[in-house]
Amino acid sequence: MDRRDLIRASLALGLSAVAGRVWAAPKADARLLVVFLRGAYDAANVVIPTGSDFYYRSRPNLAVARPDPNNPAAALTLDADWSLHPSLRETILPLFAKGQAAFVPFAGTDDLTRSHFETQDTIELGQTVGSGRDYNSGFMARLAAELTRVRPIAFAEQMPLIFRGGETVPNIAIARVGKPGIDERQARLITAMYKATPLASSVSEGFRVRDEVYRTISAHQEQADRGAVSPKGFELSARRIGHLMRDQFNLGFVDVGGWDTHVNQGAGTGYLADRIGELGRGLAGFAQEIGPAWNDTVVVVLSEFGRTFRENGNRGTDHGHGSVYWVLGGGLKGGRIAGPQVKADEAHLFQNRDYSVLTDYRALFAGLFQRLYGLDQTALRRVFPSVDATDLALI
């Protein structure tokens, strides 16, 4: 490796380095994980409006059957109007029954582009739609700036927009972790090159975090493989994330792909059911792995938008608007469908096609931040300008 290669490698490392700022403690021992389902998951087939006849008329091929104890592919009752997909029977339903899970329907953003990329950016930036976007100011970066002793991490191959701006944050593609590309000798050379420069502490700390995370993940995978069925994808990643957030980090972000179901989506079984099952097992594994810290942890699962309420001609669904967010945690006041609601019928469709948005995602997060961290209105406005918190009393 010549000097130019060393410089390029060290600059790449700088994207994942932890700057040497000393943070003071957030309220109690709070942990927050945001799980972003990229591709827009079909919320109506996961948290299902089984009290709606219109749902069944709109989805002759995709509708999940009404609750029936004799049908393993039938929906699972949550309340008189809503039910849960059967693939979450062993994972998320027990959390809901214990009050450790809640669902917020009709949630989302006022972005109307129905573009994956535009709306993902909208959510990660947390800025006002229609104004000039600052792509170096993600809302979790702004949140981190308001907290003390926060230890953030992005479980993603590249630094996501949501953490851009402010202090640099370690990012690691947890599902594809391999041996570090820069060996110990090269790391020493890079560290020496930056010695006595303003970047010295960041470079040194970046290598330390990289090596520590790699050792932790490698050891955990060896333990998980001993005589156990090997989990895959997010299931495995989520347990690793839980391991790291239990011991080292308290503010995390992970994105999970595979939710753009235009064709052959399936109903009680099929493609979406399989993906939802993996997600549920991953989240349940995270909760188990994080141990007693689960009582001080909040997980928010969201997607850029929902999907069309009516199925399309390819037995799938197209890009929509409103969605259903999940909020999980050991100390949650859950076991309920939270937030404002309307009937899931034709009269209440947005533009005669989608769920409407009654709970703005920024207001929902602001309400959670207020409860979780004790942030006042001034601090919340620095995270989400011009947005008032919506307190759903979930914490």
Side-chain angles (χ1 to χ4, degrees), residues 101-149:
F103 300 102
V104 185
F106 308 106
T109 168
D110 54 354
D111 189 319
L112 300 180
T113 64
R114 294 191 176 88
S115 160
H116 291 303
F117 306 114
E118 286 286 328
T119 315
Q120 287 175 17
D121 289 357
T122 292
I123 289 179
E124 291 189 66
L125 294 172
Q127 300 167 18
T128 303
V129 172
S131 61
R133 293 189 175 191
D134 180 356
Y135 282 89
N136 287 312
S137 182
F139 86 75
M140 288 187 75
R142 298 195 297 274
L143 171 64
E146 298 299 324
L147 304 179
T148 55
R149 292 187 70 82

Side-chain angles (χ1 to χ4, degrees), residues 12 84 116 132 144 187 211 244 299 328:
L84 194 62
H116 291 303
D211 292 341
L244 289 167
V299 178
L328 315 172

